[in-house]
Amino acid sequence: MKNFIETFDNALTENECNYIINYMNTDDRLTPGTIQSGVNKKVKDSFDVFMNLNNDDDLEVNEIIFKAFCNCLEPYVKKHTQLNRLAPWKIFPLYNLQKYNPQQGYHSLHCENSNPSIASSHRVMAWMFYLNTVTDGGGTYFDNYDLTMDAIQGRGVIWPAYWTHMHRGIVSKTETKYIATGWVSYTVPN
């Protein structure tokens, strides 16, 4: 059975991952991670840098992420051609760099299209890049498929944003996990 979760190993190089991690750790925007209702560490316990592909201040990181994501998205759409039958969609420009220290994680099962907010309700797909390898947990668990995705440096992952793809982070008790994550959304008329 297809699960529509596709992995792309070596989507980012080791140097690119290390550059993004260093960027994140030295950025003064690194703040406690939020969900729709704000900071709730019982749900999501992380440190995030909110990014915008259209922000020239983050140009080098944005170029790395955008190029790598496009290189993953093309074969994803080629494999799942039904995406071409949907209403117009595009890469959503806002995304997150996330740092999970030992014991931190996205603890609750969730999907990326889970509430009526404009941003969430228009999401079609989610994407993620693991920026480091975590050997003590650190992956992502998709419950409907009983699938654990291991956190391997440079690995890109794309999956549908809907309830069929509920997932949560797997907490590492000893290691820090770094990811970049974002969405593909329907094009909303102005």
Side-chain angles (χ1 to χ4, degrees):
M1 179 174 103
K2 278 188 189 179
N3 62 25
F4 300 93
I5 303 165
E6 302 295 341
T7 59
F8 303 89
D9 286 337
N10 302 308
L12 292 170
T13 67
E14 180 180 355
N15 286 341
E16 289 170 330
C17 291
N18 290 337
Y19 179 85
I20 296 168
I21 289 170
N22 185 57
Y23 182 89
M24 186 184 332
N25 282 328
T26 58
D27 194 300
D28 60 3
R29 297 174 293 168
L30 189 66
T31 57
T34 61
I35 55 174
Q36 292 290 330
S37 60
V39 175
N40 183 342
K41 292 184 179 190
K42 289 182 179 180
V43 175
K44 178 186 177 196
D45 189 8
S46 66
F47 291 96
D48 298 358
V49 177
F50 299 101
M51 302 288 286
N52 185 333
L53 288 170
N54 299 321
N55 184 348
D56 288 341
D57 293 338
D58 302 319
L59 188 60
E60 191 162 351
V61 171
N62 286 339
E63 287 178 347
I64 292 169
I65 293 292
F66 184 76
K67 179 182 175 198
F69 180 64
C70 288
N71 288 339
C72 297
L73 184 60
E74 183 179 341
Y76 188 92
V77 173
K78 189 178 245 185
K79 183 172 183 177
H80 304 291
T81 58
Q82 302 90 339
L83 288 163
N84 295 316
R85 301 182 64 127
L86 299 178
W89 49 265
K90 65 179 181 179
I91 299 170
F92 190 69
L94 304 180
Y95 69 101
N96 295 319
L97 301 178
Q98 297 177 341
K99 176 181 181 178
Y100 295 93
N101 287 320
Q103 304 293 336
Q104 290 184 312
Y106 205 126
H107 305 292
S108 293
L109 277 174
H110 65 285
C111 67
E112 304 303 319
N113 183 322
S114 62
N115 66 60
S117 75
I118 294 295
S120 176
S121 66
H122 291 282
R123 292 176 181 164
V124 178
M125 291 176 272
W127 58 266
M128 175 174 48
F129 292 107
Y130 294 105
L131 301 175
N132 67 316
T133 298
V134 180
T135 59
D136 173 28
T140 306
Y141 179 71
F142 292 88
D143 76 322
N144 282 334
Y145 307 98
D146 193 26
L147 172 69
T148 298
M149 183 68 56
D150 292 330
I152 297 175
Q153 185 177 59
R155 174 177 278 173
V157 186
I158 301 176
W159 68 92
Y162 304 104
W163 63 270
T164 54
H165 288 75
M166 300 290 278
H167 58 285
R168 65 174 172 77
I170 300 171
V171 173
S172 174
K173 294 180 180 180
T174 62
E175 298 178 64
T176 299
K177 170 182 161 180
Y178 293 91
I179 65 169
T181 187
W183 309 274
V184 171
S185 296
Y186 287 115
T187 303
V188 181
N190 293 334

